[in-house]
Amino acid sequence: MKTFLATTGSGISRATYVPGGNGLVEEVLKGYRVTCLASDPYNPGRVYAGTHTSGVLISTDQGQSWQPRGLPGQLITAIAVSPLIPGRIVAGIKPSGIFLSSDFGDHWEEIPSFRSIFSRRFWFSPAEKPFTAYVQGIALSPSDPNVIVVGVEAGAVVRSTDGGKTWQDHRKGALRDCHSITFHASNGNWVYEAGGTGAGTAISRDGGNSW
């Protein structure tokens, strides 16, 4: 059986398909403003959801049922699960901030260095008042557990090579209006970014250092 999950703005649409059988589409988490989803590479049945006001939620049965998993009250705007370190999850919030969990979401700790990035003072989102910038995408390297690339809406694509202890400011050539960002599934050199307002795409061939 294959399961597909998608955010709807007021919950999650869950579709299941059995080869040779009938498919089923159902709505789960009705009433929750789900903003992002991420599955666990080590356990495909484990899925994390970021929400508008209810923090992070977790499902261990492919999205059928959900429980709170920390950061209540935070507006979660991006979430990523490490493909290299079991239990490591990185969540982005609005206003722009990064939280890290090393135990499958049981405990979270903010990465304070992210708030000290120099260009942060210029970040803003023109889409809605009060024009507060937020983390729009998080990309975790499939080959180096210490490399994190983060896209901000709108303002920068920044990079850490030491697990978030320090950050390189906006990377040359990357799109400042980041809408999504991801590593290649197995090649840690390749990173892909999509931008908004007709900005197009950007590609990095050196792990997000240059674009």
Side-chain angles (χ1 to χ4, degrees):
M1 181 179 72
K2 295 183 179 180
T3 302
F4 304 89
L5 301 176
T7 62
T8 64
S10 60
I12 292 176
S13 180
R14 180 178 184 270
T16 55
Y17 171 71
V18 179
N22 295 323
L24 172 66
V25 178
E26 57 184 333
E27 295 295 319
V28 297
L29 278 182
K30 292 181 180 180
Y32 283 83
R33 292 183 62 183
V34 180
T35 55
C36 50
L37 294 166
S39 61
D40 189 334
Y42 288 91
N43 185 344
R46 184 185 293 126
V47 185
Y48 296 89
T51 70
H52 195 268
T53 57
S54 301
V56 176
L57 307 178
I58 185 175
S59 172
T60 57
D61 53 11
Q62 299 182 326
Q64 295 184 68
S65 61
W66 297 83
Q67 298 81 37
R69 205 62 166 187
L71 301 181
Q74 295 286 359
L75 199 174
I76 310 298
T77 52
I79 195 164
V81 183
S82 173
L84 297 175
I85 301 178
R88 175 175 289 182
I89 313 163
V90 183
I93 64 168
K94 179 180 182 177
S96 299
I98 292 289
F99 284 82
L100 173 69
S101 174
S102 298
D103 53 10
F104 301 94
D106 284 341
H107 303 88
W108 294 87
E109 181 178 359
E110 184 172 10
I111 299 178
S113 57
F114 191 82
R115 294 187 177 271
S116 300
I117 297 172
F118 178 80
S119 68
R120 182 187 179 91
R121 66 198 69 186
F122 306 111
W123 300 352
F124 74 99
S125 176
E128 57 186 55
K129 294 181 179 180
F131 310 119
T132 303
Y134 55 93
V135 174
Q136 179 72 297
I138 301 169
L140 305 181
S141 170
S143 58
D144 187 336
N146 292 313
V147 174
I148 307 172
V149 183
V150 173
V152 176
E153 162 72 28
V157 171
V158 299
R159 178 175 181 258
S160 175
T161 60
D162 54 13
K165 295 178 181 178
T166 61
W167 294 87
Q168 301 167 333
D169 212 323
H170 180 68
R171 309 317 299 149
K172 184 178 180 180
L175 305 174
R176 289 187 179 272
D177 186 13
C178 180
H179 276 208
S180 64
I181 194 164
T182 187
F183 269 94
H184 184 280
S186 59
N187 188 331
N189 291 321
W190 288 82
V191 196
Y192 310 94
E193 179 195 9
T197 59
T201 62
I203 298 174
S204 173
R205 298 178 176 87
D206 56 7
N209 186 43
S210 61
W211 295 76

